[in-house]
Amino acid sequence: MRILVTNDDGIDAPGLFAVSAALHTAGHEVVIGAPRIESSGSGTSLGTLEHGAVVAVESRRLPGLPTVEAFAFDCPPAFAVLAFCAGQFGPPPELVVSGINPGHNTGRSVLFSSTVGAVLTAQIAGIGGMAVSCGFPPSHRFDTAAEVAVRVVQWIEDNDARTLTLNVNVPDLDFDELDGMRVATLGARSLLGLKITRVDGGVELRRYDNTTGLANGTDAATVLAGSVAVTALTTVGADKSALTSALRTVVDVLDTAAV
């Protein structure tokens, strides 16, 4: 399967390399299109909508992946995804994989995540995708998350589910220690909290951990319990009734699947 790998941490980020290498080793046709620099928190922003604007793109070769085409974009990942889905860098991808993000993307705050925003953008173009996240350094486990990503992509291919958009959050455990895979809902609260405080000269942003008061069955609670959390996402322009029915079927299949 032809897979576009992107992220919001920049084309040189180790999480992007980890999932690209794992998918390439699994036999997929991988192509990389990612921001030149870190672009976290941009959601589905394209960066510009100016008529005639030229977004700089640089061809790259990543160490350890000499045969994989890679392109560094001077824009958020959503724009790069649109360019690939429009067929401007070879045949459009059959699937978009975004990540691996250091820091879980859970709860309603996924609205701000450009890791998630990248796959939501692909959905607008009729192409499914998967956002993959694990925890923050130094506890992050890109190796485990990459192995999970390969398994989920294989499930997507085997079940002809390429139009689905999934948000996958992986606990920072050895692969063999994972307590299976669970279908989860977006929680009202995320594992990552944000506090904004007025200070001299502006406002200060601070992150903090949310580890208590998480509702059972939510993505944050599922990850905290040691299971891979898989959440199906929808966006604008979908036939909601048909999509909801399809997602229910997939949810049933994933819910019985152990990692």
Side-chain angles (χ1 to χ4, degrees):
M1 183 158 51
R2 181 171 170 83
I3 299 175
L4 167 63
V5 177
T6 189
N7 72 349
D8 65 2
D9 296 300
I11 196 165
D12 296 312
L16 180 137
F17 175 81
V19 74
S20 298
L23 291 169
H24 180 66
T25 299
H28 296 288
E29 180 188 353
V30 173
V31 62
I32 296 169
R36 180 178 58 83
I37 59 174
E38 202 269 347
S39 302
S40 296
S42 61
T44 55
S45 170
L46 300 180
T48 181
L49 286 175
E50 288 299 317
H51 180 70
V54 175
V55 174
V57 182
E58 176 189 0
S59 181
R60 298 278 293 274
R61 279 290 187 271
L62 300 188
L65 293 172
T67 63
V68 174
E69 282 193 306
F71 300 90
F73 284 71
D74 194 16
C75 62
F79 190 100
V81 168
L82 276 187
F84 272 87
C85 291
Q88 296 304 300
F89 293 86
E94 298 170 84
L95 192 75
V96 175
V97 173
S98 183
I100 300 167
N101 192 68
H104 292 110
N105 279 302
T106 56
R108 296 174 187 172
S109 61
V110 297
L111 177 69
F112 312 125
S113 167
S114 32
T115 304
V116 175
V119 293
L120 289 176
T121 301
Q123 191 182 88
I124 294 172
I127 296 172
M130 173 177 62
V132 188
S133 305
C134 61
F136 284 108
S139 302
H140 61 302
R141 292 295 301 271
F142 288 146
D143 55 340
T144 300
E147 179 62 24
V148 169
V150 168
R151 301 292 183 96
V152 176
V153 167
Q154 188 61 55
W155 180 90
I156 289 171
E157 187 170 30
D158 291 346
N159 290 276
D160 195 24
R162 300 180 190 186
T163 59
L164 281 179
T165 301
L166 303 176
N167 187 32
V168 179
N169 283 281
V170 183
D172 295 315
L173 300 170
D174 289 343
F175 183 82
D176 293 338
E177 294 177 345
L178 295 173
D179 187 18
M181 184 179 293
R182 306 281 182 264
V183 172
T185 58
L186 286 176
R189 301 176 65 207
S190 167
L191 283 172
L192 172 65
L194 298 176
K195 183 178 180 180
I196 299 175
T197 306
R198 183 77 178 266
V199 297
D200 289 343
V203 290
E204 180 184 58
L205 174 67
R206 286 190 175 272
R207 302 189 309 214
Y208 62 91
D209 293 332
N210 274 327
T211 56
T212 60
L214 302 171
N216 290 335
T218 61
D219 45 6
T222 299
V223 170
L224 212 57
S227 298
V228 177
V230 180
T231 306
L233 303 175
T234 58
T235 187
V236 297
D239 177 349
K240 191 171 182 180
S241 60
L243 186 57
T244 300
S245 176
L247 289 175
R248 264 198 210 104
T249 302
V250 173
V251 161
D252 290 341
V253 173
L254 282 178
D255 201 24
T256 59
V259 176

